Amino acid sequence: MNPAYAPLFEPFALRSGLQLHNRIVMAPMTNFSSHDDGTVSDAEIAYYARRSQGVGMVITACTYVTANGKGFPGEFAGHEDAMIPSLRSLASAIKAKGAKAVLQIFHGGRACPPDLVQGDVVSASAVPAPAGGPVPRALEAEEVHAIVRDFGEAARRAIEAGYDGVEIHGANGYLLQQFFSPHSNRREDEWGGSLEKRMAFPLAVIAEVKRVAAAHASSPFLIGYRFSPEEPETPGITMDDTLRFVDVLADQGLDYLHVSLNEFDSKPRRGADVSKTRLEWIVETAAGRTPVIGVGSIHTPDEAVKALETGIALVALGRELIMEPDWVQKTAEGKEAEIKVTLNKADQERLVVPDPLWRAIIGSPGWFPVE
């Protein structure tokens, strides 16, 4: 192995007591490949198993915690106990390859397609997404409390299914972000108004998941939180909003904060000066209180090391592990020159990619570099 890449292979101990054997994480990526009833498909299990040997931790695609929170076709479910065997099959496949298995839990809110949800499309307020879509119904206060409990129940199911932890998905415009954003949250009750009140829902979810883990987990169980640092809309989340939120999140006893970025070295749009990248501002604000995971167009080992040098604890790889499932092994063996950074249209079987995800990749020009 190139000695310059040694930092990627240092073990890392999480607050919960779990230890990762290296600093590489498989990022959560929607794959559209579960059955219509919300159970995990065999193709999906094979896809994860192919990518779980080498990385220290696998964060799954998001799973919905309530029936009206399903955000994608082919998304797997965690909203009822009947789904525990399905969830267990995926956790077992990941852990059998040596990686820690983390279930990402979420509610899509106003981003849910109306034909996928049971009942209304809901959000913090009756404000549609900037890109279009239905006008959601504003959740009643008691419904907000119920969804908080639903996140806790999904975490309990993750524990019973054998996962090593859960990641609370507060990024990418879904329900938790909708409550934090001044664009989508126009409430004037306990769940909205000031910046502090817009934090209330995600903080309540974190507290409930922590309570459930303490009550039900008999072995170390990690809890992470993912967030997007900025929104382009006005009003919308600014870097200043996010840094104030990170300052609070860093004191919640979480195992990590996971920043959702398209480019790990991107600069702030507004709310912080451009002397530092978004990731550097976030790491500085967390100030060692909670580890930070960085992600975003990290393709090569050199780029992964450069990302670590910003102060993040762990590096998440997404598209790279689809194109090159053996990224970690090739880096460890000094074969980094063999890492694939493009796709060929004949690669599907070799890469063990389910049909729905492959169709999405090939049908979305610019998403992946396809030869």
Side-chain angles (χ1 to χ4, degrees), residues 81-140:
D81 285 0
M83 294 298 160
I84 292 174
S86 166
L87 295 172
R88 184 179 295 120
S89 67
L90 180 55
S92 298
I94 293 168
K95 293 169 72 171
K97 298 295 184 177
K100 302 301 182 187
V102 177
L103 184 70
Q104 190 186 66
I105 54 177
F106 103 135
H107 189 298
R110 70 181 183 184
C112 294
D115 60 330
L116 292 184
V117 302
Q118 298 178 18
D120 300 328
V121 173
V122 298
S123 185
S125 300
V127 179
V135 177
R137 177 178 63 79
L139 288 159
E140 300 291 339

Side-chain angles (χ1 to χ4, degrees), residues 26-352:
M26 179 174 172
M29 292 177 286
T30 301
N31 56 62
F32 314 105
S33 301
S34 298
H35 297 302
D36 289 343
D37 65 358
T39 55
V40 177
S41 68
D42 289 344
E44 207 168 6
I45 290 172
Y47 160 83
Y48 277 104
R50 179 68 182 86
R51 289 159 176 82
S52 297
Q53 187 167 353
V55 297
M57 181 168 74
V58 171
I59 306 171
T60 72
C62 54
T63 183
Y64 51 98
V65 304
T66 70
N68 72 345
K70 185 174 183 178
F72 310 95
E75 180 186 346
F76 65 97
H79 69 300
E80 57 187 13
D81 285 0
M83 294 298 160
I84 292 174
S86 166
L87 295 172
R88 184 179 295 120
S89 67
L90 180 55
S92 298
I94 293 168
K95 293 169 72 171
K97 298 295 184 177
K100 302 301 182 187
V102 177
L103 184 70
Q104 190 186 66
I105 54 177
F106 103 135
H107 189 298
R110 70 181 183 184
C112 294
D115 60 330
L116 292 184
V117 302
Q118 298 178 18
D120 300 328
V121 173
V122 298
S123 185
S125 300
V127 179
V135 177
R137 177 178 63 79
L139 288 159
E140 300 291 339
E142 58 269 24
E143 292 179 297
V144 181
H145 287 287
I147 293 174
V148 169
R149 293 190 294 271
D150 291 335
F151 271 92
E153 282 293 278
R156 174 184 60 79
R157 294 178 191 113
I159 293 167
E160 294 184 16
Y163 284 86
D164 296 296
V166 293
E167 178 175 282
I168 301 166
H169 193 356
N172 301 358
Y174 301 124
L175 187 63
L176 275 83
Q177 182 174 328
Q178 289 162 32
F179 268 84
F180 182 57
S181 169
H183 182 275
S184 42
N185 187 345
R186 312 291 174 89
R187 303 175 74 98
E188 296 181 353
D189 62 0
E190 62 183 303
W191 302 110
S194 66
L195 177 66
E196 289 72 23
K197 287 186 175 181
R198 287 190 277 112
M199 296 181 194
F201 178 58
L203 292 176
V205 169
I206 291 168
E208 177 66 3
V209 170
K210 287 173 61 180
R211 184 193 68 79
V212 167
H216 293 277
S218 58
S219 56
F221 188 79
L222 73 86
I223 301 169
Y225 188 89
R226 194 175 202 209
F227 63 94
S228 295
E230 290 190 82
E231 293 177 326
E233 296 81 30
T234 302
I237 297 169
T238 68
M239 276 304 298
D240 180 62
D241 293 336
T242 287
L243 296 178
R244 291 169 67 184
F245 190 27
V246 167
D247 191 43
V248 175
L249 288 172
D251 288 330
Q252 300 307 305
L254 295 164
D255 284 272
Y256 65 77
L257 300 177
H258 187 180
V259 189
S260 181
L261 290 168
N262 288 325
E263 306 286 341
F264 80 92
D265 56 357
S266 62
K267 298 291 183 70
R269 180 184 291 111
R270 56 187 174 163
D273 69 60
V274 295
S275 63
K276 298 183 177 71
T277 66
R278 290 162 164 161
L279 206 49
E280 287 170 331
W281 277 117
I282 288 163
V283 169
E284 180 180 291
T285 302
R289 291 171 289 167
T290 300
V292 176
I293 300 179
V295 69
S297 298
I298 300 169
H299 302 290
T300 67
D302 288 321
E303 289 170 339
V305 170
K306 182 180 177 183
L308 274 184
E309 290 170 353
T310 67
I312 60 174
L314 303 167
V315 176
L317 303 180
R319 289 170 294 176
E320 295 73 23
L321 289 177
I322 292 180
M323 295 185 289
E324 180 53 87
D326 298 317
W327 193 100
V328 177
Q329 295 93 318
K330 288 183 176 180
T331 302
E333 294 168 5
K335 299 177 180 178
E336 60 272 11
E338 298 178 15
I339 290 175
K340 303 289 187 183
V341 292
T342 61
L343 286 177
N344 185 286
K345 291 185 178 180
D347 282 344
Q348 180 184 3
E349 184 175 352
R350 178 180 66 82
L351 295 176
V352 194

